Amino acid sequence: MPIAKLTDAECDAALAGLPDWSLRDDGLAIMRRFKFADFSEAFAFMTRVALLAEKVNHHPEWANVWNRVDITLTTHDANGLSKRDVDMAQAIGEML
């Protein structure tokens, strides 16, 4: 079953509930920067996110530099944002 891409209205509504996330310029992904006290805290957070990603089979695009973790969520099968991205962003936010 194909994964549905969010409409513009659904995307706007989702972002209203994800105040720390922003829409990427092309409108196909959401992004958030996380900052931690040090590398160990950042890496521990990445480990928790990785375990979640494996559990739900939805993997983020991300980068880590010392105490910073940048996460981008998009659904390639939908060619843009889907409910999976919104659910993942909410779950990641609950880890903090």
Side-chain angles (χ1 to χ4, degrees), residues 13-82:
L15 282 171
L18 299 169
D20 296 319
W21 292 82
S22 61
L23 189 63
R24 193 169 68 189
D25 289 341
D26 64 7
L28 299 177
I30 53 175
M31 306 177 307
R32 182 171 174 186
R33 174 167 285 175
F34 298 85
K35 290 190 177 178
F36 300 92
D38 54 29
F39 178 77
S40 293
E41 283 189 21
F43 193 82
F45 170 74
M46 290 179 71
T47 301
R48 292 190 305 274
V49 172
L51 292 171
L52 170 66
E54 282 294 298
K55 181 179 177 182
V56 299
N57 193 30
H58 192 55
H59 303 87
E61 298 172 16
W62 58 8
N64 165 243
V65 177
W66 189 58
N67 70 334
R68 185 181 76 226
V69 178
D70 295 322
I71 296 181
T72 299
L73 297 173
T74 189
T75 302
H76 299 287
D77 291 342
N79 194 30
L81 287 173
S82 75

